[in-house]
Amino acid sequence: MNNDKVLDRCGLFGLYGSNVSEAAKIIYYGLFSLQHRGTDASCICVHDDGQFNYNKYKGLVTEVFDKESIDRMGGHMGIGHVLRYAGQDAVENAQPIVIRYTKGHMAVALNGGLTNTEELRRDLELKGAVFQTLEAAEVVSVLISRARNQCSTIEEAIAKVMPELKGGYALLVMTPRKVIGVRDPKGIRPLVFGKKGDTYYFSSETCAFNELGIEFEREVAPGEILSLIHI
């Protein structure tokens, strides 16, 4: 399967709020508004009570999640993704990709068309990496985790990896303390930033903000790494 086609048009939505306890529910409605960007699979990952909780499956947001599963997830921050062009590999390739590495847990969701995914994958496999999906997001997550071992912050690790990624992309990264939005240096893929009360949001499109009453602040600038931090 061609990963560039898989990730041609997907939807991202994420948030961080110190007083939020139902992040999964908000992300659910955000992804519902972005459903036109991907109908093959849906996934939400939140941080709640010191751990990452996530749920993913093939199909529409309304088919993957019900009230019980959303209420059970909770969360004060999280990221979600709707996937397009996944075919038979929809469940396997649903994002965010959640990994555990030397610095802890990390979740990564990508909307993009990287032109060198296979080259990066082959290089990492020769260095001992083992991949479970066909997603470029998993390749990116491995690159960031390896860079993080050499950098003092996750932002520095992302900045170190960005020159290796060829093509257009928007990226959401979540750690136990941060939700980070990243946009490719040429601004090819969309990513916007908004606010409602003391909660901050990322989305692929402003339509999700409009539906949830979130105030649009600005686009994430080309090449920008924008962090929402839990203090």
Side-chain angles (χ1 to χ4, degrees):
M1 182 185 299
N2 186 320
N3 280 346
D4 294 340
K5 185 176 182 181
V6 169
L7 294 172
D8 179 63
R9 193 182 182 194
C10 306
L12 303 173
F13 191 88
L15 68 91
Y16 166 75
S18 57
N19 297 316
V20 171
S21 61
E22 297 182 324
K25 182 180 293 186
I26 301 171
I27 295 170
Y28 171 90
Y29 287 113
L31 293 180
F32 181 80
S33 299
L34 297 170
Q35 190 72 85
H36 58 281
R37 297 186 65 88
T39 59
D40 280 12
S42 307
C43 181
I44 294 174
C45 179
V46 301
H47 185 265
D48 186 68
D49 196 25
Q51 63 183 359
F52 278 19
N53 298 325
Y54 66 96
N55 189 11
K56 65 178 182 178
Y57 202 66
K58 61 183 178 181
L60 304 175
V61 177
T62 54
E63 296 171 336
V64 176
F65 303 98
D66 56 24
K67 185 179 185 303
E68 181 180 349
S69 64
I70 289 294
D71 290 345
R72 186 168 56 246
M73 292 180 72
H76 70 276
M77 65 178 178
I79 60 177
H81 184 275
V82 287
L83 178 66
R84 188 176 184 182
Y85 296 133
Q88 294 181 345
D89 302 306
V91 178
E92 175 186 329
N93 294 312
Q95 304 176 41
I97 299 294
V98 181
I99 67 168
R100 182 169 185 171
Y101 68 115
T102 55
K103 299 294 183 178
H105 284 85
M106 177 172 58
V108 176
L110 175 75
N111 168 34
L114 301 184
T115 60
N116 63 334
T117 302
E118 294 307 316
E119 176 185 340
L120 292 171
R121 185 191 301 273
R122 284 194 299 270
D123 181 64
L124 288 168
E125 287 175 336
L126 289 173
K127 294 175 181 177
V130 177
F131 293 94
Q132 304 298 319
T133 77
L134 298 173
E135 285 299 293
E138 188 177 15
V139 174
V140 173
S141 70
V142 172
L143 288 170
I144 294 174
S145 67
R146 292 191 172 210
R148 180 66 179 87
N149 291 327
Q150 304 169 2
C151 300
S152 58
T153 68
I154 188 71
E155 291 88 352
E156 289 179 15
I158 293 170
K160 185 174 182 179
V161 166
M162 287 177 72
E164 300 183 53
L165 307 179
K166 308 303 180 183
Y169 57 89
L171 182 69
L172 292 183
V173 179
M174 183 172 69
T175 72
R177 293 184 59 247
K178 302 175 181 179
V179 174
I180 303 167
V182 185
R183 196 173 178 201
D184 68 81
K186 295 184 179 180
I188 296 172
R189 298 290 172 164
L191 190 64
V192 295
F193 173 62
K195 180 181 180 183
K196 182 178 181 181
D198 60 357
T199 303
Y200 296 88
Y201 301 84
F202 291 113
S203 178
S204 291
E205 295 183 28
T206 56
C207 62
F209 289 175
N210 297 337
E211 292 295 325
L212 292 168
I214 299 166
E215 181 180 354
F216 168 72
E217 294 285 324
R218 62 180 178 86
E219 292 186 2
V220 176
E224 183 177 14
I225 301 171
L226 181 59
S227 296
L228 309 181
I229 304 174
H230 175 49
I231 298 176

